[in-house]
Amino acid sequence: MSVVDTIKEQIENNAILLYMKGTPRFPQCGFSSRAVEAIMSCGERFAFVNILENQDIRAELPKYANWPTFPQLWINGELVGGCDIICEMAESGELKEMIQAAAKDAEA
């Protein structure tokens, strides 16, 4: 399986997916930390990929997503954005609505 196939599979199989540096419990950069905090405040479970442990995904995902930085939040197969967008959406309440809807759809 190619790296791009792995990325596609991860995105397809997880309604809420965060590509980040580190883990939710131990983020390895401030942007990932802020993104995790915003997502966790929505109260739903989410999947994550630690790009520091997978250099191939770290190299290929920016090309695949046409988004150069990390973290990257994907909801229902669509790229939502990075840290700034995640935090802005959290402040407006839009992130919680999106995440809760995605979690509900995933359960069904």
Side-chain angles (χ1 to χ4, degrees):
M1 179 181 282
S2 75
V3 176
V4 172
D5 289 337
T6 300
I7 290 168
K8 287 179 181 178
E9 184 177 280
Q10 290 169 339
I11 292 169
E12 289 171 8
N13 291 335
N14 294 286
I16 306 161
L17 176 62
L18 182 67
Y19 287 94
M20 64 178 293
K21 293 179 179 177
T23 67
R25 288 183 187 224
F26 299 105
Q28 297 296 305
C29 82
F31 297 112
S32 290
S33 179
R34 288 177 46 216
V36 164
E37 191 176 306
I39 295 165
M40 289 179 81
S41 73
C42 297
E44 300 292 344
R45 294 180 57 147
F46 63 97
F48 72 93
V49 174
N50 179 355
I51 60 151
L52 298 177
E53 292 180 349
N54 193 321
Q55 293 301 316
D56 293 337
I57 289 177
R58 184 178 186 176
E60 289 298 319
L61 185 61
K63 295 178 228 170
Y64 175 80
N66 197 25
W67 191 269
T69 60
F70 294 98
Q72 291 185 15
L73 176 62
W74 293 75
I75 296 178
N76 290 330
E78 298 289 326
L79 175 63
V80 174
C83 179
D84 290 345
I85 293 170
I86 294 166
C87 291
E88 287 172 16
M89 290 176 68
E91 287 176 24
S92 73
E94 187 180 359
L95 184 67
K96 187 171 188 172
E97 289 175 19
M98 280 182 81
I99 285 181
Q100 288 181 339
K104 185 176 180 182
D105 290 347
E107 288 176 8

